Amino acid sequence: MKVTVAETAGFCFGVKRAVDTVYRQIEESPLPVYTYGPIIHNEVVVKELAEKGVHVIRDDEELTALAEGTVIIRSHGVSKAVLESLDRPGIRLVDATCPFVEKIHRIAAEETRAGKTLVIAGNPEHPEVIGIKGWAEGPCYVIQSAEDFTALNLDKSTPVALVAQTTFDYKKFEKIVEILASLDYNIQDWSTVCKATEARQTEARNLAGEVDAMIVIGDIHSSNTQKLYEICKHTCKCSYFIETLVDLETQPFQSFCHVGITAGASTPKHLIEEVQNYVRCKF
Ligand code: F3S
């Protein structure tokens, strides 16, 4: 069986930076280490960090109650209010927000300050989107399609700044921009889908077109992994979404001539290697 692993599979720059930050703080921090939310959407990594004493703050209430500690902001970023609430005695703030997400925060603040309505193409429940909303200084909406946008019933003259969640399907974003331009809305779009996401999605789409089966590895809660799976499934009917090797062992995975493997931005290298070795040796 031929096995091809996507070159873009696994940790992106921002996730690697955030995870490395936590490991560094475990060594360097004079105070107990906390992450605001799990550092990445990957239970395996979060469990490993918990064993090293890293605590996860689950909500704002826990954050407000924290009297002392080093608090690490993950790559998804947070709202301006959360960031400001951490500027208090007893708290050491370590901000690992990905610079590409910070750029969207800047756009959100500047454009809404200039009087534009902010529209974010993304998942309204995703922490990154909640964080971006928290930088808007005026009206802000979240959409997932051009239909969602028109349903907002905005006046066509309303100046709108349209941004995308970094892991949004870039082809879908382009489509939304194209449709809204044809409807004569007053929109300035910012192509904020992360290049790493774009490259991973393009490679997954191409690879899925060449193989008989695709394996997508990542946490079930990882939105970028879910997107990858949707993209692969669209092109290759035999696509499998697994969190770890155990899932593959329990799936009716048969022998194929050519198998492709990709993984979300928060999937550690060793999980990818385990799956790759299993598929190579077993079939
Ligand atoms: Fe940053 Fe892009 Fe990763 S926005 S966290 S490098 S997917």
Side-chain angles (χ1 to χ4, degrees), residues 12-15 75 98-101 128 166-167 194-197 200 265:
C12 61
F13 148 80
V15 165
S75 57
C98 177
F100 300 127
V101 177
E128 180 190 323
T166 54
T167 49
C194 168
K195 294 285 175 247
T197 305
R200 187 178 292 108

Side-chain angles (χ1 to χ4, degrees), residues 176-271:
I176 292 174
V177 171
E178 197 185 301
I179 296 172
L180 298 182
S182 71
L183 294 175
D184 275 344
Y185 280 100
N186 182 7
I187 289 178
Q188 182 178 6
D189 66 285
W190 301 81
S191 157
T192 51
V193 173
C194 168
K195 294 285 175 247
T197 305
E198 198 177 312
R200 187 178 292 108
Q201 290 175 355
T202 304
E203 197 187 8
R205 193 175 279 114
N206 293 342
L207 186 55
E210 291 167 15
V211 299
D212 308 302
M214 253 331 264
I215 300 172
V216 183
I217 316 165
D219 193 280
I220 196 79
H221 302 294
S222 153
S223 90
N224 78 84
T225 314
Q226 281 167 8
K227 295 253 165 55
L228 274 184
Y229 175 67
E230 282 164 26
I231 288 170
C232 291
K233 185 84 187 158
H234 187 75
T235 314
C236 175
K237 294 290 159 256
C238 293
S239 290
Y240 299 81
F241 187 153
I242 62 166
E243 289 197 283
T244 63
L245 180 57
V246 177
D247 297 338
L248 192 62
E249 287 167 337
T250 54
Q251 295 219 23
F253 191 79
Q254 66 210 55
S255 191
F256 294 95
C257 288
H258 190 181
V259 172
I261 298 176
T262 189
S266 43
T267 308
K269 208 171 170 190
H270 67 88
L271 287 184

Side-chain angles (χ1 to χ4, degrees), residues 29-281:
S29 173
L31 301 172
V33 178
Y34 295 83
T35 60
Y36 183 51
I39 191 71
I40 55 170
H41 281 142
N42 193 288
E43 282 303 323
V44 179
V45 175
V46 172
K47 222 170 126 204
E48 271 169 23
L49 291 172
E51 280 158 15
K52 292 186 185 296
V54 176
H55 312 274
V56 177
I57 299 171
R58 297 279 167 189
D59 53 34
D60 286 2
E61 225 172 287
E62 269 186 49
L63 191 67
T64 313
L66 186 69
E68 195 182 69
T70 293
V71 179
I72 303 170
I73 302 297
R74 56 192 174 172
S75 57
H76 299 318
V78 289
S79 68
K80 193 176 178 191
V82 169
L83 213 54
E84 286 174 354
S85 77
L86 289 166
D87 184 12
R88 61 176 197 258
I91 303 294
R92 266 182 81 238
L93 171 65
V94 177
D95 191 355
T97 305
C98 177
F100 300 127
V101 177
E102 273 176 344
K103 184 181 159 199
I104 310 179
H105 292 172
R106 272 198 304 277
I107 296 170
E110 284 167 12
E111 296 300 312
T112 49
R113 205 176 299 139
K116 289 187 186 157
T117 293
L118 183 72
V119 177
I120 308 163
N123 173 355
E125 272 146 39
H126 193 280
E128 180 190 323
V129 174
I130 295 169
I132 296 168
K133 276 172 78 180
W135 287 83
E137 297 181 16
C140 171
Y141 303 95
V142 182
I143 60 161
Q144 305 203 50
S145 63
E147 292 74 41
D148 286 354
F149 184 93
T150 48
L152 296 174
N153 284 324
L154 294 178
D155 192 281
K156 290 213 168 163
S157 63
T158 307
V160 170
L162 176 65
V163 295
Q165 182 179 349
T166 54
T167 49
F168 199 73
D169 182 337
Y170 76 95
K171 283 223 177 282
K172 212 166 149 188
F173 185 69
E174 280 175 359
K175 194 82 204 147
I176 292 174
V177 171
E178 197 185 301
I179 296 172
L180 298 182
S182 71
L183 294 175
D184 275 344
Y185 280 100
N186 182 7
I187 289 178
Q188 182 178 6
D189 66 285
W190 301 81
S191 157
T192 51
V193 173
C194 168
K195 294 285 175 247
T197 305
E198 198 177 312
R200 187 178 292 108
Q201 290 175 355
T202 304
E203 197 187 8
R205 193 175 279 114
N206 293 342
L207 186 55
E210 291 167 15
V211 299
D212 308 302
M214 253 331 264
I215 300 172
V216 183
I217 316 165
D219 193 280
I220 196 79
H221 302 294
S222 153
S223 90
N224 78 84
T225 314
Q226 281 167 8
K227 295 253 165 55
L228 274 184
Y229 175 67
E230 282 164 26
I231 288 170
C232 291
K233 185 84 187 158
H234 187 75
T235 314
C236 175
K237 294 290 159 256
C238 293
S239 290
Y240 299 81
F241 187 153
I242 62 166
E243 289 197 283
T244 63
L245 180 57
V246 177
D247 297 338
L248 192 62
E249 287 167 337
T250 54
Q251 295 219 23
F253 191 79
Q254 66 210 55
S255 191
F256 294 95
C257 288
H258 190 181
V259 172
I261 298 176
T262 189
S266 43
T267 308
K269 208 171 170 190
H270 67 88
L271 287 184
I272 304 171
E273 282 169 358
E274 263 170 35
V275 172
Q276 180 187 357
N277 292 338
Y278 172 83
V279 176
R280 281 221 167 97
C281 302

